[in-house]
């Protein structure tokens, strides 16, 4: 990326000094008033602008500088603006930051400090550009509403796209807040049943005494209060898709009736004599470990094999490499439009906080925090404080350890290469551009199993 800097300064001597501070790899333009600055802004589209607030015709004040700042942020909201103020002019600096400037610099000129501040602005601009490019790659998947750039989640999306056209019964495993219902709807939307009903029921949210009638329906007079016939969720989804959320919480006594339906595709309404034939695709989801429930006698093993013809394991947000920031950027954009604040961006401390936070509540927690931040942000920049997040000092120190960074990157690359190659060591070595002895040496070093059954893989 060509790095372009615009210096807005009315003092010719300071213009020359500031130009001298920067290396030849920058394209530097200079303007001495608002009109010429806006002309260069439109023509050159600089990434960073240094703006002296004291411009003619008000060189002793800041009114002209503030008007120019507003116009820059309106015409080029992604451009990073560094306001230049006098040493005793802190109030204007604070006001400019509140309006949307990314940083400020106080006179007199110090070449080292100015270079540092400008380089920091360029790094922030480049980081945000990379994040926007990652977010734009989301269109590579046909799954509506899924924001994914990590190999872990993209693999889930590819599997989903393969099984969507079929009627195979699917089990979606994942922690609370990972978007299991969104994936279930995607399976429905990408299937031939897309024009038919999608019926969802949360097995954990309905009392056990009512769940059977909610699922299977009932006949008039079947029990006190049954004044008319009622279709259940299964029957109402006829021709379409039935989504059973939190299947692990289904009462054990009802599991036998659900198993019979899955085997026969026939249902018996509560109080009915004749069974009713239905044609539905069944998708189940749970955050619980069904194998453990089977061992403890809380879940039928035969039902488990019926609902898990295909299993999708949705990774937690903390296990999706790089997705946290991509998701946060996407949510900031979409929720910002809903709340009429479409031009917000993350400050550097917010970016660090998003990357370092483990997100125990997954995407649902992130939605809440981003929405709060959009409401609380006072300027154009969302800070870590707005997100109610604090970067961990220990994590920041860990990030500065080059050996740990290298080992983490090597371990991640090895795992990804093994997964992509189907645990074929020769193919994995070719993907990584190393020899077979080297890949064996690295897998031994990091204690990585080289078979598909590996816990680490």
């Amino acid at each position: 990326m060509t790095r372009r800097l615009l210096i807005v300064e009315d003092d010719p001597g300071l213009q020359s000094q500031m130009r001298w501070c920067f290396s030849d790899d920058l394209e530097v333009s200079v303007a001495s008033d608002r009109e010429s600055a806006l002309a260069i802004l439109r023509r050159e589209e600089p990434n960073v602008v240094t703006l002296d607030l004291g411009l003619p015709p008000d060189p002793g004040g800041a009114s002209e500088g503030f008007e120019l700042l507003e116009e820059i942020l309106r015409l080029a909201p992604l451009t990073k603006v560094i306001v230049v103020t006098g040493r005793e002019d802190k109030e204007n600096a604070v006001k400019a930051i509140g309006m949307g400037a990314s940083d400020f610099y106080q006179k007199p000129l110090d070449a080292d400090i100015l270079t540092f501040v400008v380089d920091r602005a360029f790094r922030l601009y480049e980081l945000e550009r990379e994040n926007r490019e990652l977010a734009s790659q989301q269109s590579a998947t046909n799954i509506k509403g899924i924001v994914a750039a990590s190999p872990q989640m993209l693999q889930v999306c590819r599997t989903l796209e393969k099984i969507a056209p079929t009627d195979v019964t699917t089990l979606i495993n994942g922690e609370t807040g990972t978007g299991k219902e969104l994936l279930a709807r995607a399976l429905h939307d990408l299937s031939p049943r897309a024009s038919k009903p999608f019926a969802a029921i949360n097995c954990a949210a309905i009392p056990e005494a009512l769940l059977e009638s909610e699922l299977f329906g009932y006949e008039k007079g079947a029990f006190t209060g049954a004044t008319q016939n009622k279709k259940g969720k299964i029957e109402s989804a006829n021709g379409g898709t039935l989504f059973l959320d939190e299947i692990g919480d289904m009462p054990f006594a009802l599991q036998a009736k659900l198993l019979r339906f899955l085997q026969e595709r026939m249902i018996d309404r509560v109080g009915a004599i004749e069974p009713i034939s239905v044609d539905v695709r069944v998708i189940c989801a749970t955050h619980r470990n069904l194998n453990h429930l089977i061992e403890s006698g809380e879940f039928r093993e035969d039902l488990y094999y019926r609902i898990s013809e295909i299993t999708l394991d949705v990774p937690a947000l903390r296990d999706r490499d790089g997705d946290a920031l991509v998701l946060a950027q996407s949510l900031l954009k979409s929720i910002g439009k809903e709340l009429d604040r479409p031009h917000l961006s993350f400050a550097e401390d917010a970016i660090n906080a998003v990357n370092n936070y483990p997100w125990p509540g997954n995407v649902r927690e992130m939605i809440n925090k981003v929405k709060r931040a959009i409401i609380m942000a006072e300027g154009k920049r969302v800070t870590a404080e707005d997100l109610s997040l604090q970067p961990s000092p220990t994590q920041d120190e860990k990030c500065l350890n080059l050996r740990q960074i290298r080992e983490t990157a090597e371990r991640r690359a090895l795992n990804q290469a093994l997964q992509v190659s189907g645990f074929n060591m020769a193919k994995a070595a070719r993907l990584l551009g190393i020899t077979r002895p080297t890949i064996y040496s690295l897998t031994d070093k990091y204690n990585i199993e080289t078979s598909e059954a590996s816990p680490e893989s």
Side-chain angles (χ1 to χ4, degrees):
M1 184 192 76
T2 302
R3 304 204 305 171
R4 293 181 292 273
L5 171 67
L6 169 60
I7 298 172
V8 184
E9 170 60 61
D10 64 328
D11 186 322
L14 278 176
Q15 286 181 3
S16 300
Q17 291 181 51
M18 292 176 74
R19 291 190 70 137
W20 176 82
C21 292
F22 304 108
S23 57
D24 295 336
D25 63 335
L26 285 184
E27 290 186 4
V28 181
S29 303
V30 177
S32 56
D33 55 39
R34 179 154 60 109
E35 185 176 346
S36 59
L38 291 175
I40 295 174
L41 183 75
R42 290 186 173 95
R43 183 175 65 250
E44 303 293 340
E45 297 182 345
N47 316 121
V48 177
V49 175
T50 65
L51 171 60
D52 183 9
L53 294 177
L55 296 174
D58 184 23
S63 60
E64 190 75 3
F66 281 130
E67 288 184 16
L68 178 55
L69 174 60
E70 286 183 347
E71 292 191 67
I72 293 173
L73 295 174
R74 179 175 56 83
L75 294 172
L78 303 179
T79 297
K80 305 304 163 196
V81 182
I82 303 167
V83 295
V84 180
T85 65
R87 185 169 293 278
E88 305 300 326
D89 201 13
K90 292 183 180 179
E91 289 185 5
N92 283 337
V94 172
K95 180 180 177 182
I97 295 296
M99 291 173 62
S102 64
D103 210 338
F104 72 93
Y105 173 79
Q106 291 183 326
K107 297 178 182 178
L109 181 68
D110 183 307
D112 292 336
I113 296 177
L114 178 62
T115 303
F116 172 79
V117 172
V118 170
D119 284 343
R120 183 169 60 186
F122 273 114
R123 286 198 301 273
L124 184 59
Y125 179 90
E126 291 163 8
L127 182 60
E128 291 182 355
R129 177 183 60 83
E130 291 171 2
N131 290 330
R132 289 192 298 273
E133 290 176 356
L134 282 174
S136 68
Q137 294 171 5
Q138 297 161 199
S139 59
T141 177
N142 295 323
I143 302 175
K144 180 182 178 181
I146 298 296
V147 178
S150 66
Q152 297 91 338
M153 197 61 190
L154 290 177
Q155 180 61 46
V156 172
C157 294
R158 284 192 290 268
T159 304
L160 186 147
E161 289 171 343
K162 289 179 182 178
I163 64 177
T166 72
D167 272 345
V168 63
T169 303
T170 306
L171 174 64
I172 304 175
N173 291 317
E175 294 181 7
T176 299
T178 51
K180 298 187 289 296
E181 183 168 352
L182 194 63
L183 292 171
R185 288 187 177 274
L187 281 170
H188 172 73
D189 292 340
L190 295 176
S191 75
R193 298 175 180 267
S195 60
K196 302 297 182 179
F198 177 88
I201 186 168
N202 189 319
C203 300
I206 300 174
E208 182 176 347
L210 299 178
L211 184 56
E212 181 179 4
S213 60
E214 285 293 320
L215 275 173
F216 296 94
Y218 53 81
E219 292 287 316
K220 179 180 178 181
F223 49 82
T224 303
T227 57
Q228 59 184 3
N229 295 345
K230 180 185 176 182
K231 290 182 178 180
K233 287 289 186 180
I234 297 176
E235 195 175 348
S236 65
N238 193 25
T241 303
L242 173 69
F243 176 51
L244 299 175
D245 198 8
E246 299 302 348
I247 187 71
D249 293 293
M250 176 172 283
F252 192 82
L254 192 54
Q255 293 176 25
K257 190 168 183 178
L258 178 64
L259 176 63
R260 181 177 180 276
F261 153 67
L262 292 173
Q263 291 172 334
E264 307 294 338
R265 299 294 164 166
M266 305 280 288
I267 62 168
D268 294 307
R269 288 182 182 176
V270 177
I273 299 175
E274 295 294 329
I276 300 172
S277 176
V278 290
D279 171 30
V280 297
R281 179 186 188 169
V282 179
I283 302 171
C284 304
T286 182
H287 73 284
R288 305 182 68 183
N289 189 317
L290 293 186
N291 289 316
H292 291 171
L293 295 179
I294 291 170
E295 292 173 2
S296 64
E298 299 176 64
F299 200 84
R300 294 179 63 108
E301 187 173 9
D302 48 3
L303 177 58
Y304 170 75
Y305 291 123
R306 278 289 178 183
I307 65 175
S308 61
E309 293 176 342
I310 291 287
T311 300
L312 287 178
D313 293 313
V314 186
L317 185 53
R318 62 182 171 276
D319 298 325
R320 294 165 54 177
D321 299 334
D323 268 2
L325 190 54
V326 174
L327 268 167
Q329 295 279 11
S330 177
L331 291 171
L332 186 67
K333 182 177 180 181
S334 59
I335 300 176
K337 285 183 179 178
E338 294 175 7
L339 299 178
D340 199 27
R341 301 196 69 181
H343 299 303
L344 290 175
S345 59
F346 286 120
E348 193 167 359
D349 67 333
I351 292 172
N352 290 332
V354 168
N355 284 327
N356 290 333
Y357 186 63
W359 298 106
N362 293 295
V363 181
R364 187 175 295 130
E365 180 185 10
M366 179 178 282
I367 292 172
N368 293 340
K369 287 193 178 294
V370 171
K371 183 176 291 187
R372 178 194 185 279
I374 292 172
I375 295 170
M376 299 301 295
E378 295 183 356
K380 298 284 187 179
R381 317 280 292 168
V382 171
T383 65
E385 183 179 358
D386 296 330
L387 287 164
S388 292
L389 296 178
Q390 290 296 330
S392 168
T394 56
Q395 287 174 323
D396 290 341
E397 291 168 6
K398 182 178 178 181
C399 290
L400 295 175
N401 189 308
L402 184 59
R403 180 182 61 80
Q404 292 180 359
I405 294 172
R406 183 168 59 247
E407 289 180 354
T408 300
E410 285 183 346
R411 183 188 295 272
R412 183 178 300 162
L414 284 166
N415 277 313
Q416 290 182 12
L418 288 170
Q419 292 173 19
V420 170
S421 66
F423 294 86
N424 181 311
M425 297 296 282
K427 185 177 179 180
R430 287 196 300 272
L431 288 172
L432 294 169
I434 58 179
T435 63
R436 288 186 67 179
T438 301
I439 195 172
Y440 279 114
S441 174
L442 289 172
T443 53
D444 288 343
K445 174 183 177 182
Y446 296 118
N447 196 27
I448 296 175
E449 293 289 340
T450 56
S451 64
E452 196 164 358
S454 163
E456 176 138 2
S457 66

